[in-house]
Structures are given as C-alpha cells and as structure tokens.
Amino acid sequence: MQLQIETLCQKNMNNFDDFYAIYSISFPLSEQKSKEELLIMLNSPDYTIFTSKIETQTVGFCIIFHSEQTSFYLLEYMAIDGTKRSLGIGSKLFSHITMQIFSKYGIKPMLIEIDSPEEKSDEQNLREKREQFYKRLGCRKIEPFDYILAIKSDQITPPMELLVYHDGMQNILKSQLQEWLEDIYMLVYGCAKDDERITKMLSHAPQILNLI
C-alpha cells in the first residue's frame, strides 16, 4: 500500500471535495465547522490541512493550527475513511505531520481535542478506540481536567478530553493550561479570553496537573 501525504492548497483544490466528504461524516455536527470556515482555514497562514491518499483516493486528513502567537500546536481534526481504518494510515499520517510541523515551526506541545469515552454514548466503542489510538502514539491526557469545546452554536457538545503530545512533559501548571485555553478560545474559535467556560474548566483544577 503506497500512502501519499500532501498539503491541501490552492494548487490542488480539486481534492477539497474528497477531503470534505470524509470530514462531514467523521464528527458530530456540534463539532464541525462550515465549508466556508474550512476554506478560510485553508488559506490561513496559521493552518495546514494534510491529506493522505492511496493512488488517487483521498483516505484521510489532518488539520493543524500552528500560530506563531501560541506556545502550542493544535491538532484540530483528524479522520480516516471508515473503509480504510485499521490499516496503519492514521499512525503514519500523525507521524508525518508531527515531523513536518516540528521541523518547519519548531518543537512545541501538540494538543489534541477528542470526545471523551468516559460518558456512555452511541459512539462509545469509536471514542474508546480513538483515545487508545492517540495514547499508543505517545499522547497523554491532562488529568484531572474536563475539556469544553468552544463552539458558538446552540448544540450541546459531548464531553471532551484535551491530550498532549510532547516527549519531555510529565505534568503541566494550571497557569500554563489557562494560557492554552485562552489562546484556543480566542485564536481558534473566536471566543472571548474571559469566556465563562474557561473559568468553569479551571475551577476545580489543581496547581499542577498530570499527563497520564
């Protein structure tokens, strides 16, 4: 299986619809951005959209936020075509994009937003597999901490986790986590720095949080 990983850009916009077809069925509607928002991200210097292909078929993608203003990167979305899972595509894509981003922009913690498997749902098995997938790659969960996705719609978001990928980190200070949350809310989702959801997330957090 020959896997090709490339950056989605204006030169290969004919691949956008294939990317969007996977995106639109891979996440709950409450977590999705509109096609217009995705096109803005595509043209932003703070984002890179990677796609993985087998021959001419798009089989996966990953969207990375990498602003010079932040002390972290955010893996905002990653998904593999449902018919192509368990073939190692996801792990190869993750390894490729982390090497590319770290090489081009420097080494910083990579943050990953995922649905929490701790609350029962119709997608329980998928959520557990997704968490196990990232943990096998070396990502670790911030504990104790419940992440609230910064959406602006009236839809209720599922319980979330925030994972960290960084070899040298064993824990994180509450002040550092607060900085990350404020930047995510402002720069990624266009929310206020003093959004009440940030206060709620940090209300019971200890001064030092473990990565497990």
Side-chain angles (χ1 to χ4, degrees):
M1 179 182 68
Q2 185 81 29
L3 186 69
Q4 298 176 326
I5 299 173
E6 58 187 37
T7 300
L8 189 61
C9 58
Q10 290 296 331
K11 293 181 180 179
N12 56 5
M13 277 297 291
N14 57 312
N15 294 326
F16 183 87
D17 287 342
D18 294 336
F19 145 72
Y20 188 74
I22 299 175
Y23 175 88
S24 63
I25 61 172
S26 297
F27 307 96
L29 286 174
S30 62
E31 298 176 28
Q32 292 187 28
K33 295 187 176 180
S34 67
K35 184 177 285 190
E36 291 72 24
E37 288 175 308
L38 291 171
L39 286 169
I40 291 172
M41 293 162 69
L42 176 67
N43 292 292
S44 168
D46 292 337
Y47 279 95
T48 300
I49 300 178
F50 295 92
T51 60
S52 53
K53 302 179 76 171
I54 298 176
E55 296 181 351
T56 59
Q57 181 186 3
T58 298
V59 295
F61 72 88
C62 180
I63 302 178
I64 302 289
F65 171 77
H66 48 76
S67 171
E68 292 182 354
Q69 300 179 55
T70 65
S71 60
F72 63 88
Y73 304 118
L74 178 67
L75 193 163
E76 198 167 337
Y77 298 100
M78 187 166 89
I80 304 300
D81 185 313
T83 65
K84 301 295 183 182
R85 291 174 186 157
S86 302
L87 298 177
I89 295 172
S91 57
K92 290 178 182 176
L93 178 58
F94 184 85
S95 296
H96 177 88
I97 63 100
T98 50
M99 284 193 296
Q100 285 281 319
I101 294 295
F102 290 168
S103 175
K104 188 172 184 178
Y105 301 106
I107 297 176
K108 305 179 193 176
M110 177 78 73
L111 309 184
I112 304 107
E113 303 169 326
I114 65 168
D115 296 330
S116 174
E118 294 184 6
E119 184 167 314
K120 299 298 181 182
S121 75
D122 295 337
E123 296 185 333
Q124 185 71 21
N125 186 52
L126 178 61
R127 292 181 182 183
E128 289 176 353
K129 286 184 176 180
R130 187 175 291 144
E131 183 185 58
Q132 292 165 6
F133 164 77
Y134 282 114
K135 286 193 171 184
R136 283 197 303 271
L137 294 172
C139 305
R140 288 177 289 179
K141 180 173 68 170
I142 300 174
E143 183 70 22
F145 179 67
D146 295 319
Y147 183 60
I148 302 174
L149 191 67
I151 62 165
K152 293 185 180 180
S153 72
D154 294 330
Q155 297 192 54
I156 299 174
T157 59
M160 303 284 290
E161 293 178 356
L162 193 62
L163 307 183
V164 181
Y165 179 73
H166 189 286
D167 285 343
M169 294 186 72
Q170 302 296 326
N171 50 52
I172 175 176
L173 295 176
K174 182 178 180 178
S175 57
Q176 178 69 77
L177 178 58
Q178 180 175 347
E179 178 187 310
W180 287 354
L181 295 174
E182 290 172 350
D183 284 343
I184 291 173
Y185 267 60
M186 288 192 303
L187 301 177
V188 176
Y189 295 102
C191 297
K193 181 177 181 178
D194 59 353
D195 192 293
E196 62 183 14
R197 289 169 292 185
I198 296 177
T199 302
K200 182 178 179 179
M201 282 187 277
L202 296 172
S203 61
H204 300 294
Q207 293 303 313
I208 300 177
L209 299 95
N210 294 319
L211 300 181
I212 63 171

